[in-house]
């Protein structure tokens, strides 16, 4: 659905209605939902919130409420890329009729005018062909590849800002939504930096305070700040050693799955000047003298070890004087809550837990999410080490392939799409640093993981190549569809992410053969 004026064509249309709000199971969608909820509460808009994890749940929920639904905005076809004739309507007929009526002109003048008309018509035909070719390219690119644009939470915050209803909490949710895209590798580094710049201006506007007593911080205030912080997952809520070992950026570059990699980590810590006793205890318990210049010290040593991007632009939030979180901390915690494998929680319960954790009044749930995230990151790195040490990542020609076996430790943690996506991306990055085959470094990855033993199904996911120039476009969605159609493989394309499908384990062999043939 394409809306040019979000306020007039969307918000003012639904403001006087009861709204049915479908929310997907990802962190960015949750953040956008929180902003919309705050706006609806401000304007006394009644709404019903329905979490949906895929197309089937969306269809079921729609059918349940269809008697009450009014389709307010029509979705146009063809990506709203108009045909040539709809934009350019030339006056060729009028020109022809005018030239025919001008019988009194000299033959030479007629000949000149005719030549000019022929040239003009030729130019118009050429422009038409170029226009149609460009239109086909746009539609092909849109339908062939899957990629992500601006964060939904940022779009909703922009709406709130246009209506002068933006609050600091809404700004934080927009930051978390953007950070989710960066953590999940959905957008390019350039896009991330650009959007960070946009949000940084809002942070300065909302969190600017003078130093006088009138503007002194209260104990329970919320304060957001821009930071140039370390690229280490959860390090402020973990030990520095655990964070270094379980962050993809450092684990892949040190090659921590090998003995040599562990030695390099020890050398790195020695170069920084950090005693192991300090590094292995909680970050909050480290000596204050060590923590004062820790970021600069780690960045300096990281440059020596070939890690040029050890620090990254990000934001942090303070709740009073005690609680501080980086945006990436909240992303990992919320994602882990939403995909928690705990037996006593259903998908809807996990969704509500994750949604509640984004509110500052539910810090206990956020801290619980951080503990789940630590388990998830540990399991991810252990699984990566197992895959690389046992050579489970193999080249199939046009792509790399890895299949997790039933009985793999912590396999239940990777049965959900976001967790499997994080594992797959981190595995591909680590493989790129471990292999000496230059061609394999440029290949995409197809990952398979057991989904249901009873039903005999596996989850298959496609990850684009890990290159510096990658535009983050994923072509596996259409490729999976064609491979399944060509082999009559029993697949279920239920996920909103088109590069994730469910496949019958019995059909895996012929499906992969068709995929190899298709991409070769």
């Amino acid at each position: 659905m394409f809306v040019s004026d979000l306020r007039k064509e969307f918000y003012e249309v639904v403001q006087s209605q009861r709204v049915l709000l479908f929310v997907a199971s990802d962190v960015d969608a949750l953040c956008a939902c929180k902003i919309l909820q705050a706006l609806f509460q401000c304007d006394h808009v009644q709404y019903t919130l329905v979490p949906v994890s895929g197309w089937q749940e969306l269809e079921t929920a729609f059918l349940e409420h269809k008697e009450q639904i009014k389709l307010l905005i029509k979705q146009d076809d063809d990506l709203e890329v108009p045909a040539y004739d709809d934009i350019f309507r030339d006056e060729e007929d009028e020109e022809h009729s005018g030239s025919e009526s001008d019988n009194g002109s000299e033959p030479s003048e007629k000949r000149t005018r005719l030549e000019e008309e022929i040239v003009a018509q030729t130019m118009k035909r050429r422009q038409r062909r170029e226009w149609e070719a460009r239109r086909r390219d746009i539609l092909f690119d849109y339908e062939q590849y899957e990629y992500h644009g601006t964060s939904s939470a940022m779009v909703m915050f922009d709406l709130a800002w246009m209506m002068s209803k933006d609050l600091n909490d809404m700004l934080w949710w927009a930051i978390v939504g953007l950070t989710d895209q960066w953590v999940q590798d959905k957008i390019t580094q350039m896009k991330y930096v650009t959007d960070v710049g946009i949000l940084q201006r809002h942070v300065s506007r909302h969190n600017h305070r003078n130093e006088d007593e009138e503007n002194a911080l209260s104990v329970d205030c919320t304060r957001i700040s821009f930071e140039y912080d370390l690229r280490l997952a959860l390090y402020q809520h973990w030990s520095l050693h655990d964070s270094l070992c379980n962050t993809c950026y450092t684990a892949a570059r040190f090659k921590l799955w090998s003995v040599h990699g562990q030695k390099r980590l020890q050398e790195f810590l020695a170069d920084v000047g950090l005693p192991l006793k300090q590094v292995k205890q909680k970050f909050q318990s480290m000596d204050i003298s060590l923590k004062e210049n820790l970021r600069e010290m780690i960045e300096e040593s990281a440059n020596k070890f070939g890690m040029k991007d050890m620090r990254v632009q990000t934001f942090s939030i303070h709740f009073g004087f005690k609680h501080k979180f980086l945006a990436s901390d909240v992303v990992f915690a919320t994602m882990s809550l939403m995909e928690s494998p705990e037996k006593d929680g259903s998908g809807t319960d996990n969704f509500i837990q994750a949604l509640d954790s984004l509110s500052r009044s539910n810090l206990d749930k956020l801290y619980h999410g951080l503990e789940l995230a630590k388990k998830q990151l540990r399991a991810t790195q252990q699984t990566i080490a197992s895959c690389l040490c046992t050579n489970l990542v193999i080249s199939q020609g046009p792509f790399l392939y890895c299949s997790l076996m039933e009985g793999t430790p912590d396999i239940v943690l990777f049965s959900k799409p976001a967790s499997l996506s994080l594992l797959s991306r981190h595995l591909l990055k680590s493989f790129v640093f471990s292999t000496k085959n230059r061609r394999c470094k440029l290949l995409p990855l197809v990952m398979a993981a057991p989904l249901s033993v009873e039903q005999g199904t596996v989850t298959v996911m496609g990850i684009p190549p890990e290159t510096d120039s990658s535009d983050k476009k994923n072509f596996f969605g259409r490729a999976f569809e064609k491979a399944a159609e060509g082999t009559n493989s029993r697949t279920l394309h239920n996920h909103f992410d088109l590069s994730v499908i469910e496949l019958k384990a019995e059909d895996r062999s012929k499906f992969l053969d068709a995929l190899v043939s298709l991409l070769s």
Side-chain angles (χ1 to χ4, degrees), residues 233-244 274-291 294 322 367-368 370-371 374 378:
L234 310 179
Y235 79 94
Q236 294 183 16
H237 307 277
W238 215 350
S239 71
L240 198 59
H241 185 270
D242 281 334
S243 183
L244 282 165
L274 294 173
L276 277 178
K277 183 180 178 181
Q278 291 288 327
V279 170
K280 290 191 175 182
Q281 64 181 336
K282 283 190 174 181
F283 179 80
Q284 298 296 338
S285 304
M286 287 178 66
D287 288 349
I288 296 177
S289 58
L290 289 174
K291 290 197 290 185
L294 181 67
K322 183 180 178 182
Y367 278 113
H368 177 55
L370 289 174
E371 294 305 313
K374 293 174 188 177
R378 275 201 193 98

Side-chain angles (χ1 to χ4, degrees), residues 182 192 225-232 235-236 240 283 294-296 298-299 309-316 324-329:
W182 179 72
Y192 173 72
S225 56
F226 172 79
E227 295 194 9
Y228 195 51
D229 214 318
L230 294 174
R231 196 171 186 165
L232 296 176
Y235 79 94
Q236 294 183 16
L240 198 59
F283 179 80
L294 181 67
R295 295 171 181 81
E296 290 76 13
I298 288 180
E299 183 180 29
D309 304 316
M310 193 61 181
R311 294 176 76 178
V312 67
Q313 297 177 6
T314 186
F315 298 90
S316 66
K324 178 187 177 183
F325 304 94
L326 292 175
S328 58
D329 297 340

Side-chain angles (χ1 to χ4, degrees), residues 396-399 479 482-483 486-487 509-520:
Q396 292 278 15
F399 58 85
K482 291 180 180 178
T487 57
S509 179
K510 64 179 181 179
F511 175 82
L512 288 174
D513 289 342
L515 196 61
V516 170
S517 175
L518 190 66
L519 298 178
S520 295

Side-chain angles (χ1 to χ4, degrees), residues 62-337:
F62 178 82
L63 292 174
E64 286 178 3
H65 299 87
K66 70 176 182 179
E67 299 299 329
Q68 306 166 40
I69 291 177
K70 297 178 182 178
L71 296 179
L72 301 172
I73 304 174
K74 181 180 180 295
Q75 181 173 351
D76 291 326
D77 297 328
D78 281 348
L79 190 63
E80 282 196 347
V81 181
Y84 185 89
D85 291 336
D86 295 335
I87 297 181
F88 303 106
R89 299 196 180 278
D90 48 34
E91 307 296 333
E92 290 182 13
D93 294 338
E94 286 92 349
E95 290 176 7
H96 282 305
S97 61
S99 62
E100 288 170 2
S101 62
D102 193 6
N103 295 324
S105 301
E106 293 294 326
S108 59
E109 293 179 4
K110 286 185 178 180
R111 190 181 303 110
T112 302
R113 191 157 54 245
L114 184 60
E115 290 173 354
E116 291 175 352
E117 288 178 4
I118 292 172
V119 171
Q121 290 175 19
T122 303
M123 290 299 295
K124 285 179 181 177
R125 280 195 293 269
R126 181 182 299 171
Q127 289 174 356
R128 182 191 181 107
R129 285 196 299 270
E130 291 174 354
W131 175 271
E132 293 293 348
R134 175 63 179 150
R135 181 173 181 269
R136 282 194 301 271
D137 289 343
I138 292 173
L139 290 175
F140 177 81
D141 189 54
Y142 180 77
E143 294 171 353
Q144 186 75 9
Y145 298 102
E146 182 183 12
Y147 50 92
H148 294 80
T150 302
S151 156
S152 300
M154 279 191 67
V155 173
M156 290 299 105
F157 177 77
D158 195 47
L159 170 64
W161 177 57
M162 285 190 293
M163 298 191 297
S164 301
K165 295 177 181 177
D166 53 317
L167 302 172
N168 223 20
D169 285 335
M170 294 183 187
L171 176 56
W172 177 245
W173 293 326
I175 289 169
V176 174
L178 170 63
T179 307
D180 174 57
Q181 287 191 316
W182 179 72
V183 167
Q184 301 249 31
D185 221 17
K186 293 178 178 178
I187 55 176
T188 62
Q189 184 69 18
M190 181 61 69
K191 172 66 174 171
Y192 173 72
V193 171
T194 302
D195 287 349
V196 162
I198 294 171
L199 291 175
Q200 189 179 355
R201 292 192 287 272
H202 289 295
V203 167
S204 300
R205 179 171 56 86
H206 273 279
N207 297 270
H208 174 70
R209 291 182 175 89
N210 297 323
E211 296 298 323
D212 56 20
E213 292 183 2
E214 286 185 18
N215 290 285
L217 298 178
S218 63
V219 175
D220 61 346
C221 76
T222 299
R223 178 166 50 91
I224 303 172
S225 56
F226 172 79
E227 295 194 9
Y228 195 51
D229 214 318
L230 294 174
R231 196 171 186 165
L232 296 176
L234 310 179
Y235 79 94
Q236 294 183 16
H237 307 277
W238 215 350
S239 71
L240 198 59
H241 185 270
D242 281 334
S243 183
L244 282 165
C245 290
N246 294 293
T247 297
C248 174
Y249 182 77
T250 48
R253 283 158 179 78
F254 284 132
K255 302 178 184 176
L256 292 181
W257 53 86
S258 64
V259 175
H260 177 67
Q262 293 290 337
K263 288 181 179 178
R264 276 178 58 82
L265 176 60
Q266 303 297 331
E267 293 170 7
F268 172 77
L269 292 172
D271 191 82
V272 177
L274 294 173
L276 277 178
K277 183 180 178 181
Q278 291 288 327
V279 170
K280 290 191 175 182
Q281 64 181 336
K282 283 190 174 181
F283 179 80
Q284 298 296 338
S285 304
M286 287 178 66
D287 288 349
I288 296 177
S289 58
L290 289 174
K291 290 197 290 185
E292 281 180 354
N293 300 313
L294 181 67
R295 295 171 181 81
E296 290 76 13
M297 291 161 57
I298 288 180
E299 183 180 29
E300 184 180 346
S301 295
N303 286 331
K304 297 178 185 177
F305 282 75
M307 295 180 286
K308 305 294 183 183
D309 304 316
M310 193 61 181
R311 294 176 76 178
V312 67
Q313 297 177 6
T314 186
F315 298 90
S316 66
I317 191 167
H318 292 77
F319 296 119
F321 298 105
K322 183 180 178 182
H323 308 285
K324 178 187 177 183
F325 304 94
L326 292 175
S328 58
D329 297 340
V330 179
V331 169
F332 282 118
T334 307
M335 190 192 311
S336 297
L337 283 169

